[in-house]
């Protein structure tokens, strides 16, 4: 549900707010990685250690941590684009969706990741936002949402499929798969009702 202030925003206002949010978010990831480099990669230990009860806090930290600048770069563009498109529906809605994806993905990674591994990176959120956008338009039965789903599928569909296959031991396919599943589940759970035709009387906001 959007706040009253967001409901009165123009599309331009929404786009500007979404762009500022995502540019700031991605900029933060690069800044954190710079700190990680300066500290001798000390922050890498705060990812998600598989099935280690002492490392559950990594569920919250892992999406902001990366193993090098190449890792950050690989996540930056899809996070920027998918996050921007999601945030166009409202900043509050985007933050709720992202929080649900991060928590569900992190718990899934903690449970099924390979033993003696630490998982970090924003790719779980990226896959989650992809899954969310892929399904949202269909469950809400909105033409624009369906068009967005087809667009993101055309651009990133092949990459997403490759990312959930266990073909590279250095990549957390578990994080990708759990993120994708979390995004789909979030779209179904957090959907808006489909618009209905008005018949007799004026529409009012509750």
């Amino acid at each position: 549900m959007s706040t009253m202030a967001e409901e009165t925003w123009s599309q331009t206002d929404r786009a500007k707010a979404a762009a500022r949010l995502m540019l700031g978010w991605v900029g933060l990831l690069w800044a954190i990685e710079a700190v990680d480099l300066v500290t001798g990669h000390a922050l890498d230990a705060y990812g998600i250690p598989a099935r280690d009860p002492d490392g559950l806090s990594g569920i919250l930290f892992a999406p902001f941590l990366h193993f090098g600048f190449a890792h950050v770069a690989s996540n930056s563009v899809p996070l920027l684009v998918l996050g921007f498109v999601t945030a166009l529906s409202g900043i509050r809605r985007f933050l709720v969706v992202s929080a649900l994806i991060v928590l569900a993905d992190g718990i899934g990674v903690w449970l099924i990741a390979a033993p003696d591994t630490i998982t970090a990176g924003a790719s779980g959120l990226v896959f989650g936002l992809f899954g969310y956008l892929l399904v949202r338009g269909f469950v809400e039965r909105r033409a624009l949402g369906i068009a967005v789903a087809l667009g993101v599928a055309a651009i990133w569909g092949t990459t997403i499929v490759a990312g959930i296959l266990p073909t590279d031991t250095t990549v957390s396919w578990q994080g990708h798969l759990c993120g994708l599943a979390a995004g789909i589940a979030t779209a179904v759970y957090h959907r808006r009702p489909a618009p209905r035709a008005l018949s007799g009387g004026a529409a009012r906001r509750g």
Side-chain angles (χ1 to χ4, degrees):
M1 182 181 296
S2 300
T3 64
M4 185 63 70
E6 285 177 336
E7 289 174 354
T8 62
W9 283 4
S10 68
Q11 289 299 320
T12 300
D13 292 333
R14 287 176 180 268
K16 288 180 178 179
R20 286 194 296 266
L21 173 64
M22 295 316 303
L23 286 171
W25 193 309
V26 172
L28 176 63
L29 299 185
W30 284 86
I32 290 174
E33 187 55 33
V35 173
D36 186 45
L37 178 63
V38 170
T39 59
H41 302 288
L43 299 183
D44 292 349
Y46 293 93
I48 304 172
R51 291 171 296 286
D52 181 354
D54 293 332
L56 283 171
S57 60
I59 291 173
L60 301 179
F61 299 139
F64 300 95
L65 305 175
H66 291 81
F67 300 122
F69 287 109
H71 190 196
V72 182
S74 67
N75 285 326
S76 292
V77 172
L79 178 60
L80 186 64
V81 175
L82 296 174
F84 172 77
V85 174
T86 305
L88 286 175
S89 296
I91 301 301
R92 180 177 179 274
R93 181 180 175 88
F94 165 78
L95 294 176
V96 171
V97 166
S98 296
L100 291 173
I101 291 172
V102 165
L103 288 174
D105 177 55
I107 293 171
V109 168
W110 187 84
L111 289 172
I112 70 172
D116 302 316
T117 59
I118 295 179
T119 302
S123 57
L125 177 59
V126 168
F127 276 65
L129 292 175
F130 174 89
Y132 175 79
L133 292 173
L134 185 68
V135 172
R136 182 186 65 175
F138 292 98
V139 298
E140 295 182 352
R141 292 180 289 173
R142 295 174 183 266
L144 180 58
I146 293 173
V148 168
L150 296 176
V152 298
I155 296 171
W156 281 293
T158 301
T159 302
I160 295 297
V161 171
I164 62 175
L165 298 177
T167 56
D168 187 342
T169 57
T170 66
V171 175
S172 176
W173 63 267
Q174 298 96 332
H176 296 169
L177 180 61
C178 291
L180 181 63
I184 293 172
T186 300
V188 174
Y189 171 76
H190 202 257
R191 64 186 181 276
R192 287 173 172 163
R196 293 182 297 180
L198 299 177
S199 59
R204 297 187 298 175
R205 295 187 185 278

